[in-house]
Amino acid sequence: MEKLLNLGRWLFPLSFLMYVGLHFGQPEIGASFVPTWLPGPLFWNYFCGVCILAFIVSALLRKYDKLSTLLMTLYVFLMILLVHIPRAVESENDMLNIFRNIMVIGALLVYAKYVTKDHRIVG
């Protein structure tokens, strides 16, 4: 049972690879989520893709993993505030993205608390 539970340490960060693939494989879709008041939507799309990839690598290598997990939490929270709430005002379909991202934030915080090994950030 313990081996099965330990798979979560690998599966959770690797599940974010889908977002990396979307950011780099279909950049126009990711850029369409960038708020119109921010210049350079393609830059922000690629920048976010690199940040997500940095979280994955950090979590798998267990180097600065707590910091990267908390920064990933901040990224998802900012996505809720800057992208999904404004879009939900126009279309209730984005409410699902808000709820999904709240669940992801919860999972990231649990991961940061119980899985990460970087003890430079006390918490």
Side-chain angles (χ1 to χ4, degrees):
M1 181 60 95
E2 196 66 28
K3 288 185 180 188
L4 178 64
L5 294 175
N6 287 334
L7 279 175
R9 180 184 110 57
W10 299 93
L11 291 176
F12 181 67
L14 287 173
S15 69
F16 286 87
L17 279 173
M18 176 187 74
Y19 293 107
V20 173
L22 287 172
H23 279 271
F24 292 105
Q26 297 180 324
E28 63 283 345
I29 293 175
S32 72
F33 282 86
V34 175
T36 55
W37 52 267
L38 267 175
L42 277 175
F43 165 78
W44 290 109
N45 171 71
Y46 289 122
F47 177 77
C48 290
V50 168
C51 290
I52 297 167
L53 188 58
F55 158 70
I56 296 167
V57 171
S58 176
L60 294 177
L61 296 179
R62 291 190 152 179
K63 186 83 169 164
Y64 301 106
D65 53 350
K66 186 174 287 194
L67 174 63
S68 70
T69 304
L70 293 175
L71 290 172
M72 188 66 189
T73 304
L74 176 62
Y75 165 74
V76 176
F77 179 72
L78 289 173
M79 286 293 296
I80 292 172
L81 286 181
L82 300 175
V83 176
H84 297 303
I85 289 176
R87 289 170 67 117
V89 170
E90 297 172 11
S91 166
E92 66 184 46
N93 289 339
D94 237 71
M95 288 301 293
L96 290 173
N97 288 325
I98 293 171
F99 293 134
R100 182 199 67 228
N101 283 355
I102 290 170
M103 288 187 289
V104 169
I105 286 173
L108 283 161
L109 292 174
V110 168
Y111 189 86
K113 173 77 174 166
Y114 296 106
V115 178
T116 60
K117 294 296 183 190
D118 184 9
H119 297 292
R120 286 172 280 220
I121 298 176
V122 179

